[in-house]
Amino acid sequence: MYETPGCMWCRQWHAEVGSGYFKSTEGQRALLRTRMLNDQPLPGLSLAAPVTLTPTFVLAENGKEVGCIVGYLGSDFFSIPCASICSRDCRMLYQRRLLRRTN
């Protein structure tokens, strides 16, 4: 998840989805990490296009982007595309820090 400080949609995602993400089927298959938009590119990660908007969720496998969700309009508009992308046997969402699991 690429985000920026002060991004209201990023905060909304964290409030509505973030705490329960790891408990979801998608969260078990695609680990979630956050990365600031202005951070240096991750070595070994090939994106299909530059990330310019936040939040942007990039799903990658073997260092290559295999899916992307740009923006957040609410949990209903996130869960369906996320499930679709994760069904491709992808393993990791690239982000800078690992969100803590809340049990």
Side-chain angles (χ1 to χ4, degrees), residues 8-101:
M8 67 180 235
W9 299 111
C10 300
R11 282 194 311 270
Q12 186 175 344
W13 183 88
H14 284 290
E16 294 178 1
V17 178
S19 63
Y21 179 78
F22 284 108
K23 297 175 186 174
S24 69
T25 301
E26 293 78 21
Q28 297 295 312
R29 297 183 79 189
L31 298 178
L32 182 68
R33 298 181 187 204
T34 59
R35 187 163 178 79
M36 291 295 139
L37 184 62
N38 294 330
D39 287 348
Q40 293 293 321
L42 287 170
L45 176 61
S46 175
L47 297 174
V51 176
T52 58
L53 301 171
T54 60
T56 295
F57 303 86
V58 177
L59 201 54
E61 185 173 42
N62 298 322
K64 293 186 180 183
E65 179 181 326
V66 294
C68 183
I69 300 170
V70 178
Y72 178 74
L73 296 175
S75 60
D76 292 339
F77 296 100
F78 177 79
S79 57
I80 294 171
C82 185
S84 174
I85 291 171
C86 288
S87 69
R88 298 180 188 167
D89 292 327
C90 302
R91 298 289 180 252
M92 178 159 298
L93 275 168
Y94 276 88
Q95 301 179 2
R96 187 178 63 173
R97 67 184 188 285
L98 200 68
L99 293 176
R100 304 279 181 215
R101 287 184 188 228

